[in-house]
Amino acid sequence: MGVSAAGSSGGSPDVLVVGGGLVGLAVAWRAAARGLRVGVVDPAPGGGAARVAAGMLAAVTEVKYGEEALLALNLESQRRYPGFVAELVEAAGEDVGYRECGTLAVALDADDRAELREVYAHQRRLGLPVSWLTGREARRLEPMLAASVRGALLAEGDHQVDGRRLCAALLTACGRLGVDVVRGSARRLLRAGGSPGGRAGGAAGGRVVGVRLDDGTELTAGQVVLAAGSHSALLEGVPEEVLPPVRPVKGQVLRLRMPSGAGAPGAFLGRTVRAVVRGVHLYLVPRLNGELVVGATEEEMGYDTTVTAGGVYELLRDAHELVPGITELPLVETSAGLRPGSPDNAPVLGPSGLDGLALATGHGRNGVLLTPVTADCLAEYLVSGRLPEVAAPFTARRFRRSGAPSAAGAAPAGPALREVVA
Amino acid sequence: MGVSAAGSSGGSPDVLVVGGGLVGLAVAWRAAARGLRVGVVDPAPGGGAARVAAGMLAAVTEVKYGEEALLALNLESQRRYPGFVAELVEAAGEDVGYRECGTLAVALDADDRAELREVYAHQRRLGLPVSWLTGREARRLEPMLAASVRGALLAEGDHQVDGRRLCAALLTACGRLGVDVVRGSARRLLRAGGSPGGRAGGAAGGRVVGVRLDDGTELTAGQVVLAAGSHSALLEGVPEEVLPPVRPVKGQVLRLRMPSGAGAPGAFLGRTVRAVVRGVHLYLVPRLNGELVVGATEEEMGYDTTVTAGGVYELLRDAHELVPGITELPLVETSAGLRPGSPDNAPVLGPSGLDGLALATGHGRNGVLLTPVTADCLAEYLVSGRLPEVAAPFTARRFRRSGAPSAAGAAPAGPALREVVA
């Protein structure tokens, strides 16, 4: 049960990332590229929600009223994607399925059309690059669309990437930079000065110094980044007022196989197609390798990742309504993942309010999209102690009631805003 | 490529069964139990349609107008099932999931009800053990049934068995009787006196002496049994007029998981439930181990075993109509198999018209049900040269036009009827 070191070169690393999913690996890679010694701990590195996700980079088509700050963050991450991917492909020597294909959001009936026109007006007011198509024009772009399509939004800047290949490439790139990836489950946060088995938080707990794993192993580090996705709220020893308010939101996803890759002449679908069917978001994301990802349910079921008859049924029913021709396609995989949902659908980034603990979680539906900006901002924060302005609205501090006791027992006002570059 | 022997004890076996699916293995086991030395050749022994099948033993609920001879065969095989299973379980030391649970065939609307009443009247005329239930009575038996159920037939003698476990047990039992199971693909029938590479049939071809495999190996035997299911018509070197008129009929099947086994108190379903939904046969077969098999599509797609989005969608849609509660159940497997369909939905049993070649194929939807009677009749035929009366209507001879040239070049009238015990 002694204190052991993460970092194969001996001694504690500068940073230990708890969570080796897409966000955790990207943070680790960017931090290592900035010269920090980095460890990652995860029971199944490269797993997590991104393995299930469709990988839509849909800043424009997913815009919602009143979420302008999140839109800015999403757009910034989307803007960084080509560079992020180019660097990663160079670093890992592996392709990641990034595809600049655009997205078509369609309306299936008159009510849908009226709602989509409102979204379109909102997007135009925000200056977003969208155009309106009639049903006929939409079918000209995508001949497999149902005859019932009444109109569509074309967002030519909403692209896609393959989350699985992204995770695989990040694992390779991390390995090449000497990041030490430990297979294990972090159970409890360790703090200096606090009794290891004592109650969480309070004046007894000092600076965060590492984590204890399920098997009792202790990993120490200069700073800890909590990037455990939907599992982020399960780490013990985190004071309640610091614990990220993140819950699992289950998504079931199908993978079909198209007759040929999405870029081929006469391809089944040329771009991402999405709609709201019976009030539920549905999307079909065609990959160049012929995979067609159909997603996704949104269910509040705790930590359940069961693929159910009902989930698969609804996805197939709604996808069939949107693109009737899918019935002929092989169904090659069904899966379910857990999005890390936050109270305001936005991520939780940067200082936690606890000295030595940073957060990179709560990305909800936008984890793949937000990976570059998250990784860049966290790396900057870990190196300089300052969180870039674009991420400033997204610290955990926004969830704290004013006048509530500070999260960190020792620091009177919490470091959250102090550490943000205003 | 010399002639090598099937049969590990050296020398040619008495019988070589081409096809190690359920029927082939059962024939091999019964023949070996009668004292014959037996070999089986199959690229994947224990595979085949029975691995996908629901394993309904539905002689009564599947009865069709004008198929009284087939009904007699089905009933005879159903009657033999308990003894067959008891012997097999004893011989193999493995359970096979045989379950005497009965079957409920339900009507979902007034039209269905009228049709099901006609089936019921027909079954009663034939003296079959069925009873009629109101919708309310049916739901009292099976509370998960849809509220729309208008009436039902209860066939208390239509049971089920697990085809996968049946195949596994038969492989064990065959092994214990010294049956030599060769992994390989039989490509061509070998006949004495004919040139091995020469054209099929004709006066040049004599008695069947074995098969040549894909890799050139030749397996010889005293008699060959063609039991290759949907692949039976692909064996080269079989004269066209002898070739069993068998085609693949694709069936897609789902496996869900019930909260507890079907025999448990408060079980999800207690018996097989079936219906005709939109003109298509649908059944839900609950196993004691908690597996719920939902089947099956019927598609004429050649040798394609792709699981398609449309196939899965239709099964889930129709099953949901019959038992709405399935939406909550985990979907654990999707698969597709190929039934060996014959022109009259009945199997092809016994003499082929070619000396030394017997047939046990073309079982269509009823392969699992017909396994005991097929195995018994083929074993009798292989030992004595006489096909038992119950199988007499099912020789290949019924497909030959009268006056057409005999199948076997040497035998003027074909041995088919001569060899049947009248």
Side-chain angles (χ1 to χ4, degrees), chain B residues 372-417:
Chain B
V373 78
T374 298
D376 290 346
C377 290
L378 264 287
E380 176 62 33
Y381 176 71
L382 293 166
V383 168
S384 70
R386 295 175 161 260
L387 188 69
E389 191 175 0
V390 66
F394 301 102
T395 67
R397 193 174 168 91
R398 71 187 191 274
F399 300 118
R400 282 171 214 143
R401 282 167 299 181
S402 57
S406 160
L417 287 187

Side-chain angles (χ1 to χ4, degrees), chain B residues 138-293:
Chain B
R139 280 189 298 277
R140 199 172 301 139
L141 279 185
E142 294 295 346
M144 298 305 284
L145 281 178
S148 57
V149 165
R150 295 292 196 87
L153 267 175
L154 179 62
E156 299 210 66
D158 278 6
H159 303 315
Q160 61 161 297
V161 70
D162 187 330
R164 293 179 182 183
R165 301 172 82 178
L166 214 44
C167 286
L170 282 166
L171 274 171
T172 303
C174 281
R176 289 183 176 179
L177 288 182
V179 172
D180 188 33
V181 178
V182 177
R183 280 188 179 266
S185 285
R187 170 184 289 263
R188 189 173 187 85
L189 201 66
L190 298 175
R191 293 167 69 185
S195 71
R199 67 192 181 83
R207 182 180 172 83
V208 170
V209 295
V211 296
R212 188 187 305 132
L213 307 190
D214 262 355
D215 67 1
T217 308
E218 296 190 343
L219 303 178
T220 58
Q223 300 182 79
V224 170
V225 178
L226 181 52
S230 62
H231 288 72
S232 297
L234 300 182
L235 189 66
E236 297 173 3
V238 182
E240 202 181 318
E241 64 277 16
V242 168
L243 208 61
V246 170
R247 69 190 195 286
V249 181
K250 178 179 172 181
Q252 299 189 46
V253 173
L254 313 178
R255 281 169 164 80
L256 315 185
R257 194 168 58 239
M258 299 180 291
S260 60
F268 188 84
L269 285 181
R271 51 185 61 67
T272 297
V273 170
R274 50 187 298 162
V276 178
V277 184
R278 278 173 274 270
V280 174
H281 285 281
L282 181 81
Y283 44 78
L284 288 82
V285 180
R287 303 237 196 270
L288 285 173
N289 65 7
E291 183 177 82
L292 180 65
V293 187

